[in-house]
Amino acid sequence: YPKVGEKNSDVSIQVYDLAQNKVIMSGATDDQWEYIPRIHWTTKANELVVFFMNRHQNHLVLELWNTQTQQKQKMLEEKNKYYIDIHDNLTFLADGERFVWTSENDGWNHIYLYNKSGEELAQLTKGKWEVTSFYGVDEANELVYFQAATKNPMEREIYQVGLNGRGQKAVVDQPGYSSAQFSSNFDYYVLNQSDINTPATYTVYN
């Protein structure tokens, strides 16, 4: 970040082709986009997503770069009157055409399913509560796992919901604070659970 009154540092994203020994794609901050907060590869080897954000951090664009054709397209755009909180959970499905994304579009942080054209396919979670952690997508069983504060802000539960937005149910609904670490194939998870009177316990579940 710059000192008060000073210009932002110039930042660029560049794709370098080792075989051609040159930069084949690039993008940089400018008067409209003063931050590049994230970059993220899709499940396709030649596709890169670049996040561009304005100085006020209330306008975000995700740009899809095809490093094979050197083409760029806007994949997703979000605007907010006040502020957009960037989350590190952009998750592409195996088909490379759909992705899961969390957003505060409806006033609460929830999980959405989009395609690469920026079309919202489904809002997977809804309600006057926050998704507080996104654990990932079990594509084999078409399930999404997440942590949420559905009861009150002092507690956390763990849930699953279908990729179609149906069948949400609690995986862990104990009083207190619950968090989990899932295996890569979602066959197992380690539960960390505690409450005001109980120290953290760690348990492995299938």
Side-chain angles (χ1 to χ4, degrees):
Y1 285 89
K3 293 181 180 179
V4 175
E6 292 190 1
K7 184 180 181 297
N8 276 17
S9 299
D10 293 324
V11 180
S12 67
I13 299 297
Q14 302 185 33
V15 179
Y16 191 89
D17 189 308
L18 292 174
Q20 299 183 56
N21 196 30
K22 66 177 183 179
V23 173
I24 57 172
M25 294 189 76
S26 65
T29 53
D30 53 28
D31 292 339
Q32 180 183 14
W33 306 116
E34 298 185 81
Y35 298 125
I36 303 177
R38 303 286 189 277
I39 59 174
H40 188 99
W41 291 101
T42 75
T43 49
K44 295 184 177 180
N46 63 321
E47 291 184 340
L48 179 69
V49 179
V50 182
F51 293 43
F52 290 97
M53 190 170 239
N54 65 341
R55 177 72 178 263
H56 293 296
Q57 299 184 54
N58 62 359
H59 187 186
L60 173 69
V61 163
L62 274 59
E63 204 170 76
L64 183 66
W65 292 11
N66 187 312
T67 62
Q68 189 172 24
T69 64
Q70 281 89 64
Q71 291 183 328
K72 302 176 182 180
Q73 70 179 61
K74 182 168 68 177
M75 189 179 80
L76 184 69
E77 182 173 16
E78 284 194 6
K79 295 181 180 179
N80 187 285
K81 184 178 179 181
Y82 303 106
Y83 180 77
I84 293 176
D85 192 14
I86 298 290
H87 301 122
D88 292 305
N89 49 32
L90 174 63
T91 303
F92 275 84
L93 303 187
D95 61 14
E97 300 299 322
R98 298 173 295 160
F99 62 93
V100 175
W101 170 256
T102 61
S103 170
E104 298 175 4
N105 265 340
D106 70 352
W108 304 84
N109 190 46
H110 281 298
I111 305 172
Y112 296 80
L113 179 67
Y114 286 89
N115 63 23
K116 288 195 303 188
S117 298
E119 178 187 1
E120 181 186 314
L121 303 177
Q123 183 174 348
L124 304 185
T125 61
K126 297 178 182 178
K128 294 183 178 181
W129 45 270
E130 297 275 334
V131 170
T132 48
S133 288
F134 172 78
Y135 292 131
V137 181
D138 175 7
E139 282 202 66
N141 295 296
E142 297 190 344
L143 293 172
V144 175
Y145 289 95
F146 62 95
Q147 180 198 63
T150 63
K151 298 177 180 179
N152 68 69
M154 303 298 292
E155 297 188 350
R156 298 289 187 274
E157 308 85 60
I158 299 168
Y159 294 90
Q160 67 180 38
V161 66
L163 266 175
N164 56 6
R166 300 174 185 171
Q168 179 176 315
K169 69 176 184 179
V171 177
V172 179
D173 191 16
Q174 302 177 33
Y177 192 101
S178 299
S179 63
Q181 291 178 296
F182 284 82
S183 62
S184 59
N185 59 5
F186 293 90
D187 284 346
Y188 299 91
Y189 67 94
V190 178
L191 171 66
N192 176 6
Q193 211 279 329
S194 64
D195 59 43
I196 193 169
N197 297 310
T198 310
T201 59
Y202 296 85
T203 313
V204 181
Y205 289 89
N206 63 18

